[in-house]
Amino acid sequence: MYQINMNQDSVQRIISFAPSIGLILGSGLGDYGEKLEDPEFISYSEIEGFPVSKVEGHKNRFILGKLGEKRVIAMQGRFHFYEGFTQDMLAAPIHIMQRAGVKTVILTNAAGGLNVGFRPGELMLISDHINLSGSNPLIGDNDAGFGPRFPDMTDVYTASLREKIKERAAEAELELREGVYVMASGPSYETPAEVRAMQILGGDAVGMSTVPEAILARHCGLKVIGVSCVTNPAAGISGQPLSHEEVMAAAESAKKRFEKLVDLMITEICE
Ligand code: HPA
């Protein structure tokens, strides 16, 4: 298992901040981190052994800050399997969060809509996932100090937290869908035949992230909430070719609603 030295200064700064909520920001959604009060920034490059992402629009740093009374550690920039990282390398941020006292991680992403009822810009609460990435972040030696060899995945996206956020979102008149997230490895988008297969399997949205972090978080006892910003109909549904620019533009257009939803998750749902 990928190990990081928890005794180094940069990690100790995070541990002494004592956040209770971890927030991983997906493509086009990274600006949220800038909302946190009294922010302190820690670049990933300050942490020895920490991966660094080269994806455009990712800032590669932690932001430690507060929202109301809640202490939050946000990741502006995450690591993707398709960048060439092995999935176990994604353990570095999750394990730092766990050691710092985080109880719940909020995972966010941009995703293609498999459910033909979804429109670009809509937000989908993740109810469960299907891992079609071809790998698993827990492959390799198990560190029993974090969790068991064969962790249960029955309730990855904590049902009680989902019920609460659905109620709060309805009160705030914020439209929220719910569905199953499928992870593909990427970086090529899916083919129309793959999209049809994923629909048959029961997927509602498809993306290239989130699942490894969700598995790692559950393995080490953290609760997980996941939200996808549906940025486009998945390949073949609209007949239009997909582009990263379209994905980023749709995420930008959903920004206000996304921010409101994450505000509610942090201030009203998470401990
Ligand atoms: N497929 C995979 N990942 C994505 C998509 C998609 O259609 N849109 C945004 N991220």
Side-chain angles (χ1 to χ4, degrees):
M1 176 167 262
Y2 195 71
Q3 299 273 7
I4 194 128
N5 173 8
M6 296 285 175
N7 293 322
Q8 57 184 308
D9 286 353
S10 47
V11 175
Q12 286 298 317
R13 267 163 72 201
I14 295 172
I15 291 174
S16 54
F17 179 73
S20 67
I21 299 166
L23 175 60
I24 301 188
L25 297 161
S27 300
L29 306 169
D31 288 351
Y32 185 88
E34 323 259 338
K35 284 189 55 157
L36 298 174
E37 297 146 24
D38 304 326
E40 193 184 334
F41 301 95
I42 298 181
S43 296
Y44 301 158
S45 58
E46 290 177 58
I47 305 172
E48 199 189 311
F50 209 80
V52 177
S53 169
K54 294 188 192 67
V55 175
E56 229 178 288
H58 284 217
K59 287 195 174 152
N60 281 301
R61 62 185 185 181
F62 281 115
I63 306 179
L64 308 175
K66 288 172 77 177
L67 197 68
E69 291 305 300
K70 302 288 171 64
R71 302 174 85 78
V72 179
I73 175 167
M75 276 185 88
Q76 226 175 5
R78 64 138 61 95
F79 311 111
H80 299 88
F81 188 40
Y82 63 73
E83 291 174 76
F85 300 114
T86 52
Q87 291 192 13
D88 68 322
M89 290 175 83
L90 310 190
I94 300 293
H95 286 172
I96 289 174
M97 288 179 185
Q98 197 256 10
R99 286 292 187 256
V102 163
K103 298 282 178 280
T104 310
V105 279
I106 301 172
L107 302 176
T108 73
N109 59 57
L114 296 168
N115 184 321
V116 294
F118 288 177
R119 292 181 306 274
E122 285 190 323
L123 301 176
M124 183 192 89
L125 193 60
I126 302 176
S127 59
D128 204 346
H129 71 229
I130 299 174
N131 181 6
L132 296 186
S133 71
S135 191
N136 188 293
L138 300 176
I139 289 175
D141 294 342
N142 184 57
D143 183 344
F146 282 106
R149 172 76 290 189
F150 302 109
D152 175 57
M153 292 286 138
T154 306
D155 188 30
V156 178
Y157 305 88
T158 312
S160 57
L161 296 179
R162 278 187 283 128
E163 288 316 307
K164 281 190 206 159
I165 192 63
K166 283 190 280 186
E167 282 170 23
R168 293 291 182 283
E171 285 163 16
E173 295 185 0
L174 198 59
E175 204 189 337
L176 188 56
R177 306 291 200 137
E178 190 172 21
V180 173
Y181 177 88
V182 180
M183 181 189 174
S185 72
S188 55
Y189 288 114
E190 300 67 42
T191 64
E194 287 165 346
V195 166
R196 288 194 297 278
M198 289 170 181
Q199 289 169 325
I200 291 167
L201 290 177
D204 293 290
V206 53
M208 306 173 192
S209 67
T210 302
V211 166
E213 291 113 325
I215 293 171
L216 285 159
R218 290 304 297 143
H219 174 249
C220 67
L222 307 184
K223 291 182 184 165
V224 178
I225 309 182
V227 59
S228 294
C229 175
V230 178
T231 52
N232 56 282
I237 294 178
S238 76
Q240 296 297 313
L242 308 191
S243 75
H244 184 60
E245 290 67 36
E246 173 194 10
V247 166
M248 298 301 275
E252 178 67 28
S253 77
K255 200 163 131 180
K256 283 245 147 50
R257 281 173 298 112
F258 171 79
E259 290 186 353
K260 200 164 161 187
L261 183 68
V262 176
D263 282 348
L264 288 173
M265 287 175 168
I266 292 174
T267 57
E268 304 206 23
I269 306 301
C270 298
E271 280 166 35

